[in-house]
Amino acid sequence: MSQSPSPRELANAVRFLAIDAVQKANSGHPGAPMGMADFAQVVWCDFMKHNPTNPKWWDRDRLVLSGGHASMLLYAMLHLSGYDLTLEDIKNFRQLGSRTAGHPEYGLAPGVETTTGPLGQGISNAVGFALAEKILAATYNRPGHTVVDHNTYCFLGDGDLMEGISHEACSLAGTLKLGKLIALWDDNRISIEGKVENWFADDTAKRFEAYGWHVVACVDGHDAEAVRQALEAAKAETERPSIICCRTEIGHGAPTVCGTERCHGSPLGAEETAGARKKLGWSHEPFTIPDELYAGWNLRDKGGKAEAAWNETWDAYAKSFPELADEFARRMRGELPANWAEESEKFIAGVQEAAEDKATRKASQAALNGYGPLLPELLGGSADLAGSNGTLWSGSKHVTPDDAAGNNMRYGVREFAMGAIMNALTLHGGFIPFGGTFMVFSDYMRNAMRLAALMEIRAIYVLTHDSIGVGEDGPTHQPVEHASSLRLMPNMDVWRPCDTVETAVAWKCAIESVKTPSSLLLSRQGLPFMQRDEQQIADIVKGGYILREAEGGKPEAILIATGSEVGLAMNAADALAAKGTKVRVVSMPCADRFDKQDAAYRNAVLPPAVEARVAVEAGSTGLWFKYVGSRGSVVGMDCYGESAPGKVLFEHFGFTVDNVVGAVESVLGE
């Protein structure tokens, strides 16, 4: 080996770490890392601005590996270049407790910017990272003081391009002129079932040209110099995102399975591995990397110098613009303003004093008007439903292609891309994103919501029109199972507030929930205000609390309700009280939070001795039985809705005082 390793020799170090790790685990995807290693090495070593000793440097370039099955490509580069990822970590690939999971997982290995696995979401995350950079640069950079200036790179494959979310996100990226987004397409023409020509024959270059992207076509992905020239052209284009079409061979270097699906998702095996070593001239034992290659890969000095230069830029900026610098730094650290706690409590007290009857979607908009001026990091948006979702507030300013210094995104009818972009905005730092759509359309972005919960990051989903109260639009627009399905998702706070105060508290909790995304389920129709004392307001954050205590002694029965059905439960309790039945009403705006309270609190709200319980919610009934028990009952609906005015539908499906009273009396009779 020469004193200065060639690009091919550096790339082979990645190839064989990937081969050996997959072989040892007897599980994984060797073909993609082998095929992508040449162009990946050029990007990682020669073009990206990053510091292995500080993976969280604010102005680093971001790399998203959209095809997360190629995880060993990323792990190998992280290890070789000096990140805190050891050879033992590489050897423990795909093992229990390892930092090198089967697909890259945010928070495990340093340098993994986002969790990727479900195809298409990585490229959509990359759009979000590039959007974050553009907004922050437009907001904080000043003439002669450029503190936000980094690129987002993304490696993607045919599978990513087949997934519909890639269209949603890439279309938006072109419209927004995200010129610092550079995608490299691993054009190997192979997916799990074989050659893609029979099911994926798109002209990808023309597709991206139509989006408004800069396209560098027909690049030999195994030729380092060709890749270098393509990257230079992409970096020179600042008005359009770029895609570099890299023609590669999956499993490059494997003697018999290269270029076929046989090396996609299975270890090469001993014989094929030995053949690859011979073919590529790699004479080293498994997991052995020569010192010359480690030296060629090591980016610690280069990265440290790049960050040091930026620190000088930052110091000059902070001296010239101290208030801007303080705000930017606070946002990037993920800290709320110093006056947040006091001012948010004042706002909630004011909402309680105003005592307004209001649809919770309108109450949500009012909460944004209250909290928005305190939080420049709030970045809102809607999937073409801002007027209905109430996501626009008095201080909203649209982000546009030519003026990105705004705080509201018009995502268009792109729910899934909106969810994935919101994830990246959070991961980038500097933002608390929220996005709105009708609750029934949460299905479209559910997988992005799931990844937010999995990654333990803050994103806020404003999901309005939350029941049959939608009315005349009919069953296609009336969510029935959605609240329950969202509650089944681990680490997702699902709030269904009943009035203005619960809505304001739900927003406050969502903003403060750094490691938990929140879904706010909001009504289209107006809802009555509920009177509370200070203790009841304080207890809302616990997810469930006593809204009305039984008069004249211990309760004989408990009514549990959420959202628009809390008012119904209160009216039913009045009717029962008139008959001499002692009923407690529990409002449970967030069952997820209630379940996390200690047993003493939960038992105080729902005493085990009171077995007569009825839950009321205009949605699926199944999950409520864990609160009402075997003796209890649920007034809900396990069918689809109808097209009619909302009030007519509530009566038609049994959401009436008489029906709730009858359910309580039936339970008591048993």
Side-chain angles (χ1 to χ4, degrees):
M1 183 180 298
S2 61
Q3 192 66 29
S4 298
S6 68
R8 171 53 60 88
E9 289 170 331
L10 294 171
N12 281 344
V14 171
R15 285 191 172 94
F16 284 97
L17 280 178
I19 291 170
D20 294 340
V22 171
Q23 191 71 14
K24 183 176 185 295
N26 196 30
S27 174
H29 301 74
M34 295 171 70
M36 299 163 69
D38 291 306
F39 71 73
Q41 182 273 324
V42 177
V43 173
W44 190 261
C45 294
D46 299 341
F47 281 83
M48 280 187 61
K49 178 181 67 174
H50 57 125
N51 184 4
T53 61
N54 183 12
K56 295 298 184 181
W57 171 26
W58 295 340
D59 202 44
R60 69 190 181 278
D61 288 347
R62 272 71 169 175
L63 172 68
V64 178
L65 181 65
S66 194
H69 58 277
S71 57
M72 269 309 308
L73 173 79
L74 180 57
Y75 297 148
M77 294 194 300
L78 289 167
H79 167 69
L80 290 166
S81 58
Y83 283 78
D84 180 24
L85 199 68
T86 68
L87 196 58
E88 286 304 308
D89 290 321
I90 300 294
K91 291 178 180 180
N92 286 328
F93 178 55
R94 290 190 164 220
Q95 304 308 300
L96 182 64
S98 171
R99 296 198 292 170
T100 48
H103 291 78
E105 292 187 26
Y106 174 74
L108 288 184
V112 174
E113 302 286 1
T114 180
T115 295
T116 51
L119 292 174
Q121 289 205 59
I123 177 60
S124 305
N125 289 163
V127 171
F129 282 120
L131 175 63
E133 193 276 345
K134 182 166 184 171
I135 294 173
L136 289 173
T139 304
Y140 290 103
N141 288 347
R142 292 294 182 270
H145 297 272
T146 302
V147 292
V148 182
D149 182 18
H150 52 267
N151 291 291
T152 300
Y153 295 89
C154 180
F155 299 163
L156 72 159
D158 293 330
D160 295 293
L161 294 173
M162 284 185 253
E163 289 286 0
I165 188 176
S166 70
H167 163 68
E168 295 182 26
C170 294
S171 167
L172 186 60
T175 300
L176 292 175
K177 301 180 181 179
L178 300 182
K180 291 186 177 177
L181 171 60
I182 300 174
L184 292 94
W185 169 33
D186 177 32
D187 179 16
N188 64 29
R189 294 144 289 167
I190 294 292
S191 66
I192 291 174
E193 294 188 8
K195 295 182 179 180
V196 301
E197 60 190 23
N198 293 314
W199 54 86
F200 182 59
D202 302 9
D203 189 328
T204 297
K206 288 184 178 178
R207 169 184 166 184
F208 277 80
E209 286 175 1
Y211 290 152
W213 285 52
H214 167 229
V215 178
V216 185
C218 301
V219 175
D220 183 348
H222 299 300
D223 183 336
E225 183 55 34
V227 172
R228 188 182 314 278
Q229 292 177 14
L231 286 163
E232 293 286 3
K235 288 196 69 175
E237 172 56 64
T238 59
E239 288 295 309
R240 296 176 293 169
S242 295
I243 184 168
I244 300 171
C245 306
C246 297
R247 294 299 294 264
T248 65
E249 180 183 53
I250 190 171
H252 185 75
T256 63
V257 300
C258 61
T260 75
E261 70 277 12
R262 288 182 291 163
C263 62
H264 172 78
S266 301
L268 294 184
E271 184 176 344
E272 192 75 10
T273 296
R277 277 179 153 78
K278 182 177 180 180
K279 185 173 181 179
L280 293 175
W282 188 264
S283 59
H284 315 292
E285 293 297 313
F287 301 107
T288 299
I289 305 295
D291 291 342
E292 305 96 302
L293 290 182
Y294 271 123
W297 267 98
N298 193 331
L299 298 176
R300 289 191 170 201
D301 288 345
K302 180 181 177 182
K305 290 177 182 177
E307 184 175 357
W310 181 85
N311 286 337
E312 292 182 4
T313 301
W314 171 260
D315 290 342
Y317 176 80
K319 184 176 181 180
S320 298
F321 306 98
E323 292 182 1
L324 281 176
D326 286 347
E327 182 180 271
F328 178 75
R330 178 190 63 75
R331 288 177 60 169
M332 291 302 292
R333 289 194 300 263
E335 300 171 357
L336 293 173
N339 65 341
W340 164 254
E342 179 183 358
E343 293 299 320
S344 59
E345 290 298 333
K346 283 183 183 178
F347 174 74
I348 292 170
V351 173
Q352 174 71 19
E353 185 177 350
E356 293 181 292
D357 296 346
K358 189 178 290 187
T360 49
R361 63 173 174 147
K362 296 294 186 182
S364 171
Q365 189 173 43
L368 286 170
N369 280 322
Y371 298 144
L374 304 173
L375 299 168
E377 56 264 51
L378 270 183
L379 179 62
S382 175
D384 201 45
L385 290 168
S388 295
N389 297 149
T391 50
L392 289 174
W393 57 283
S394 58
S396 291
K397 178 188 174 184
H398 296 305
V399 174
T400 69
D402 299 316
D403 182 7
N407 61 5
N408 184 77
M409 286 292 302
R410 288 177 286 195
Y411 286 103
V413 188
R414 299 182 177 97
E415 294 88 354
F416 197 0
M418 178 175 70
I421 288 169
M422 286 168 58
N423 288 347
L425 290 166
T426 303
L427 292 165
H428 180 281
F431 296 96
I432 300 175
F434 65 92
T437 188
F438 288 171
M439 182 174 158
V440 76
F441 301 143
S442 64
D443 284 341
Y444 283 134
M445 64 174 174
R446 184 179 178 86
N447 205 269
M449 298 171 74
R450 180 178 185 271
L451 283 184
L454 177 64
M455 288 189 281
E456 299 183 348
I457 60 175
R458 175 176 46 197
I460 303 171
Y461 310 102
V462 181
L463 306 177
T464 68
H465 298 59
D466 70 339
S467 73
I468 53 173
V470 171
E472 295 87 346
D473 276 341
T476 61
H477 283 56
Q478 295 165 6
V480 175
E481 75 279 19
H482 295 71
S484 289
S485 69
L486 288 170
R487 290 179 184 130
L488 286 171
M489 192 180 294
N491 194 43
M492 171 69 74
D493 279 351
V494 180
W495 289 89
R496 191 167 184 250
C498 75
D499 70 352
T500 54
V501 175
E502 285 191 358
T503 304
V505 173
W507 261 107
K508 183 175 188 292
C509 290
I511 288 166
E512 294 174 352
S513 297
V514 176
K515 292 189 174 182
T516 303
S518 301
S519 293
L520 309 183
L521 316 186
L522 307 171
S523 73
R524 176 196 184 191
Q525 71 276 21
L527 302 180
F529 173 80
M530 299 293 163
Q531 290 291 343
R532 301 174 184 81
D533 59 30
E534 289 185 6
Q535 185 58 55
Q536 288 173 311
I537 295 174
D539 285 343
I540 294 173
V541 301
K542 298 175 182 176
Y545 64 102
I546 301 169
L547 180 61
R548 171 195 169 122
E549 188 54 283
E551 297 178 5
K554 294 181 179 180
E556 300 171 74
I558 299 175
L559 278 169
I560 310 168
T562 76
S564 53
E565 288 69 70
V566 170
L568 171 60
M570 294 288 276
N571 292 336
D574 287 340
L576 286 160
K579 294 183 175 186
T581 303
K582 301 180 181 67
V583 179
R584 171 184 290 182
V585 176
V586 171
S587 177
M588 195 174 287
C590 186
D592 308 88
R593 287 214 167 203
F594 182 75
D595 290 346
K596 293 173 184 175
Q597 305 308 311
D598 60 37
Y601 179 79
R602 287 184 279 112
N603 289 337
V605 175
L606 299 175
V610 184
E611 296 183 347
R613 304 177 185 181
V614 174
V616 188
E617 184 173 63
S620 300
T621 62
L623 293 184
W624 287 108
F625 284 97
K626 74 176 180 179
Y627 301 110
V628 302
S630 58
R631 185 181 166 187
S633 177
V634 181
V635 177
M637 53 188 300
D638 293 312
C639 61
Y640 294 111
E642 297 282 351
S643 181
K647 291 182 179 179
V648 173
L649 292 174
F650 277 110
E651 183 173 354
H652 174 74
F653 286 106
F655 296 99
T656 64
V657 169
D658 287 345
N659 196 36
V660 175
V661 167
V664 172
E665 291 178 337
S666 177
V667 168
L668 285 169
E670 293 176 3

